[in-house]
Amino acid sequence: MILKIWSKLNDVRKRVLDIRSYYLYELELECLEDRECKIDIDSYKIFLISDIDSLMVYCEKGYEFPNLEQAKKILFAGGVGCFAFSGNVYCHSTWLCFNAKSKSYVDDLGFNVKFEKGEFCWGLAHTDPAFRGRGVYLDSCMTFFKYARMKGYTISRFTIGQDNLSSRATLEKLPCNIVGEIVNVRLGGANYGNVRPLRELPSV
């Protein structure tokens, strides 16, 4: 009983006050080399969606997308979704942002992205637990990095939680550089936090 009460109080505290630390990464797309991603998933497919009409076509075909209403808002704001499926079963999603409005839905931490100078960011990466550790995250990164490069973007900026060791280990396989860190304080739904220089190079 005490543990349940403590858990509920902790959930309330996180909604009111939550402090988390992130690393800010950069990747120059011209340094990205093509690499084969071995995917251990039956009937695997990965694709990008850039408008609501295309999203609804996939829905009509039986694909089940998590947070459908949120997806519509991000697409309407100019974001692009990268999705992986096993047949019609959801495996993974990541959202790309090519303007400030879409970034506000995807990653509202306090770091700058110079969209007008060829930078973009991404976030809300999620892999269904049943498909983790099977190469989907790396394949998604390779897919949308190549997509952004094809569209003329040159630099990707993005954040990863310092305690997200699995994502950081995957990014170690790519030519990413950690350029700063953010200690973010979320208080009453608002974020307070700025990028600061990295004190020491982290290990995974």
Side-chain angles (χ1 to χ4, degrees):
M1 183 65 179
I2 294 177
L3 290 176
K4 288 183 178 179
I5 294 173
W6 176 255
S7 177
K8 289 181 179 180
L9 289 174
N10 196 41
D11 289 340
V12 171
R13 179 194 63 79
K14 287 183 178 180
R15 287 195 292 269
V16 177
L17 174 64
D18 189 24
I19 302 174
R20 298 189 184 187
S21 298
Y22 301 83
Y23 289 121
L24 175 63
Y25 287 79
E26 275 191 6
L27 185 148
E28 295 186 16
L29 297 183
E30 66 177 11
C31 298
L32 185 68
E33 297 181 356
D34 290 341
R35 60 181 297 159
E36 182 181 356
C37 299
K38 296 181 179 180
I39 309 297
D40 180 27
I41 297 174
D42 293 334
S43 303
Y44 176 78
K45 63 195 75 173
I46 189 165
F47 49 85
L48 294 114
I49 295 178
S50 58
D51 59 82
I52 295 174
D53 288 343
S54 298
L55 176 68
M56 299 315 297
V57 168
Y58 277 103
C59 290
E60 291 170 1
K61 292 180 179 179
Y63 290 82
E64 297 184 0
F65 294 86
N67 302 315
L68 189 60
E69 292 306 311
Q70 181 189 42
K72 291 179 182 179
K73 290 179 181 178
I74 298 172
L75 289 169
F76 186 76
V80 175
C82 183
F83 297 95
F85 279 79
S86 173
N88 287 359
V89 178
Y90 168 82
C91 298
H92 173 89
S93 59
T94 301
W95 286 98
L96 289 67
C97 306
F98 299 111
N99 58 44
K101 187 174 181 180
S102 56
K103 179 183 181 297
S104 68
Y105 287 108
V106 174
D107 191 336
D108 57 355
L109 296 178
F111 68 98
N112 293 323
V113 182
K114 299 176 182 177
F115 297 104
E116 72 283 359
K117 294 187 177 180
E119 296 182 357
F120 79 101
C121 65
W122 56 274
L124 295 182
H126 173 263
T127 303
D128 185 272
F131 297 98
R132 290 175 184 171
R134 299 163 75 175
V136 181
Y137 183 50
L138 179 59
D139 190 41
S140 173
C141 289
M142 291 299 300
T143 299
F144 66 71
F145 281 145
K146 289 189 285 187
Y147 170 81
R149 185 170 60 187
M150 180 184 68
K151 288 178 63 69
Y153 288 85
T154 57
I155 294 177
S156 175
R157 306 192 89 206
F158 54 96
T159 58
I160 300 292
Q162 293 187 6
D163 59 351
N164 191 344
L165 299 182
S166 59
S167 293
R168 287 173 51 199
T170 297
L171 294 170
E172 288 288 323
K173 302 173 183 177
L174 301 174
C176 304
N177 296 311
I178 299 177
V179 296
E181 59 183 339
I182 302 172
V183 177
N184 187 71
V185 178
R186 186 181 294 273
L187 180 61
N191 285 331
Y192 302 91
N194 296 306
V195 178
R196 64 188 188 188
L198 195 65
R199 290 171 293 183
E200 59 179 327
L201 193 65
S203 58
V204 178

